[in-house]
Amino acid sequence: MYDVIIAGAGPAGVAVAARLAQKGRAGRILVLDRYHFPRDKPCGGALTGHMGPVMEELGLAVRVGRVACPDAVVRCGSFERRVEMGQTVDVIRRQDFDADLVAQAREAGVEVIEGEGLSSYVTFDDGVTVTTSAKRELRCKVLVGADGAASKVRKQILGNAKETPHRLFVIELNVPAPEGFETSMVYDFGLMNRGLCGYVWLFPAPGNRLNVGLMHYPNAKKNLSGRELTALLAEGLRPYGVEVPAKGVRGWPVWGYHPDAKISEPRVLTVGDAAGIDGLTGEGIAVAMEQAVVAGDCIDAAIASGDFSFSRYRKKIRSATVGRELALDRWLAKLLYGSSRWRDWLALVLLDEKVLEMYARRVDGTEVLADQKLRLYGALCRHSLVRGRRLRKLAEHMG
């Protein structure tokens, strides 16, 4: 009987284990993952948000190669603006980063089994029985679903609930970043005029590589196929002189965070991609680790008290900084990507310098955008006065 079994040894799972190890429970934790590390993981690899402080709080460190980005470039057609970050944002390779996090968990005394994942589970009044992909049955007091976007734990908690995912397409290229963007994160919204409900990114990666991809927001009116999205990615990269090979682009669905979504049940809870990513940016690494701090504290309290209902877990996530930022970004994503008036909102984001500055502070983790409601309201008021002029300007930029 383990205190906790964690399904998934990515950043979310390791972060929960690290938090529980800080509580003195390392020897009673088991982390399972169906893959062997290092393993390929499609991801932009930017350690945005409050990544630095939360890793320090968890006793973890970035010990792998990284590219420190002091600025971001926001583009849309002929529009371009370079925004300085309040602090640099590191870009890593997930293969290296995740493998080293597993090593750090083991160094903290946590048992991690690779090549054996969760197959199914059954909850009882006195615990949870987990069946693994190796046909083993294990018992625990608490099960954590940190098993990513395809989470079996999430599916069982939600039952037959119908969901429409965000879609991400990404490839890492063995080419250097385009000239002028060697240490800059590029966010390009130019393809929104071509049906993309999202943006294309270009991030410089360690080893003189380039990480490129796109995010597409779920929109029934613009339900693009994987082939169409891959073609849009290639189209979006041509202005940078970057070619996408015929094979190698990986696409996968991810679920946006919803403050009312069920993310736990008695003796079971979810974190990371299984609980929902940032709906505006598609970012998930920092989100996962911030959620993991809340999850670890809730699990520790449950074991100490004997109350395994986790009835307040969703509210605790929602009221934490990460939950407040995710809820705001969900609302902003709906306006920017899911509205017929997307040009209106895109004009506000791109052409109001203060809005871009605020979001840069959100990305680099030096500011909590959810605490800036008065400034956001002020931006809306300014926009109402110059809306027509900005829309015309945006149309000129997008061609």
Side-chain angles (χ1 to χ4, degrees):
M1 170 68 82
Y2 291 93
D3 280 351
V4 184
I5 291 179
I6 301 171
V14 167
V16 173
R19 189 63 166 180
L20 291 170
Q22 291 177 326
K23 307 287 185 180
R25 300 189 183 278
R28 303 292 300 165
I29 304 168
L30 173 65
V31 182
L32 299 171
D33 200 287
R34 59 179 173 154
Y35 294 108
H36 290 276
F37 290 80
R39 53 93 168 96
D40 186 33
K41 173 66 176 177
C43 175
L47 303 183
T48 58
H50 309 287
M51 193 67 179
V54 76
M55 287 195 71
E56 185 176 349
E57 183 178 358
L58 290 167
L60 300 171
V62 181
R63 308 189 305 191
V64 297
R66 72 193 88 169
V67 175
C69 297
D71 58 40
V73 177
V74 181
R75 303 185 81 188
C76 183
S78 62
F79 173 87
E80 179 177 317
R81 183 168 174 223
R82 191 175 295 267
V83 186
E84 298 296 324
M85 294 295 182
Q87 60 184 7
T88 58
V89 173
D90 291 334
V91 178
I92 47 82
R93 301 186 73 218
R94 282 293 300 273
Q95 298 94 322
D96 302 332
F97 182 70
D98 290 6
D100 187 64
L101 286 181
V102 169
Q104 292 185 57
R106 287 180 169 138
E107 290 165 13
V110 175
E111 181 182 2
V112 182
I113 296 179
E114 300 174 51
E116 183 176 4
L118 176 143
S119 179
S120 63
Y121 72 91
V122 180
T123 57
F124 301 93
D125 290 340
D126 61 344
V128 183
T129 297
V130 171
T131 303
T132 74
S133 57
K135 310 296 185 184
R136 290 199 298 156
E137 285 194 352
L138 306 171
R139 293 274 292 169
C140 60
K141 296 176 182 177
V142 177
L143 171 65
V144 177
D147 44 345
S151 170
K152 293 183 177 181
V153 178
R154 175 191 176 92
K155 290 178 182 177
Q156 186 160 327
I157 288 177
L158 292 177
N160 294 320
K162 300 294 184 182
E163 296 180 281
T164 305
H166 292 60
R167 300 171 72 193
L168 300 177
F169 284 73
V170 64
I171 185 171
E172 185 181 85
L173 304 172
N174 286 314
V175 299
E179 186 177 354
F181 306 109
E182 292 85 354
T183 59
S184 299
M185 299 183 298
V186 178
Y187 299 84
D188 195 321
F189 294 87
L191 291 178
M192 289 189 70
N193 215 21
R194 299 273 290 112
L196 182 68
C197 300
Y199 66 96
V200 169
W201 76 77
L202 298 89
F203 295 164
N208 208 30
R209 299 180 179 91
L210 181 66
N211 184 304
V212 298
L214 63 75
M215 185 195 80
H216 183 63
Y217 180 86
N219 189 325
K221 295 180 180 179
K222 297 180 180 179
N223 188 19
L224 303 178
S225 68
R227 179 173 294 183
E228 288 172 318
L229 289 170
T230 302
L232 280 178
L233 176 59
E235 180 181 337
L237 294 174
R238 286 191 196 108
Y240 300 91
V242 176
E243 293 186 9
V244 175
K247 295 182 180 180
V249 177
R250 293 186 60 182
W252 75 105
V254 288
W255 315 103
Y257 170 82
H258 193 301
D260 297 327
K262 188 177 180 183
I263 58 173
S264 67
E265 61 183 13
R267 293 190 178 273
V268 183
L269 51 76
T270 58
V271 293
D273 287 5
I277 63 161
D278 187 309
L280 184 64
T281 65
E283 202 277 331
I285 308 175
V287 167
M289 292 198 148
E290 290 182 81
Q291 289 176 341
V293 173
V294 179
D297 291 347
C298 286
I299 293 167
D300 183 65
I303 295 172
S305 68
D307 178 4
F308 294 96
S309 66
F310 295 122
S311 59
R312 293 186 55 78
Y313 174 61
R314 180 182 62 81
K315 289 185 178 179
K316 285 185 178 294
I317 290 287
R318 173 65 181 86
S319 61
T321 297
V322 62
R324 291 185 290 116
E325 289 188 323
L326 287 173
L328 175 63
D329 279 2
R330 177 180 176 274
W331 177 71
L332 293 173
K334 189 175 182 179
L335 294 176
L336 182 58
Y337 304 138
S339 169
S340 60
R341 294 179 55 195
W342 62 267
R343 290 178 180 83
D344 209 338
W345 300 109
L346 185 60
L348 168 61
V349 171
L350 297 181
L351 302 178
D352 189 313
E353 292 188 4
K354 291 184 179 179
V355 171
L356 273 184
E357 291 289 347
M358 278 192 286
Y359 209 80
R361 301 291 83 76
R362 158 74 175 86
V363 169
D364 66 31
T366 57
E367 191 168 277
V368 178
L369 194 61
D371 293 340
Q372 306 299 321
K373 290 184 173 62
L374 284 177
R375 292 171 65 193
L376 288 170
Y377 180 72
L380 286 172
C381 292
R382 289 194 303 273
H383 187 59
S384 66
L385 298 175
V386 294
R387 173 176 173 271
R389 188 170 69 224
R390 284 179 174 173
L391 283 172
R392 290 190 294 273
K393 191 70 173 177
L394 178 65
E396 292 174 8
H397 283 303
M398 298 191 81

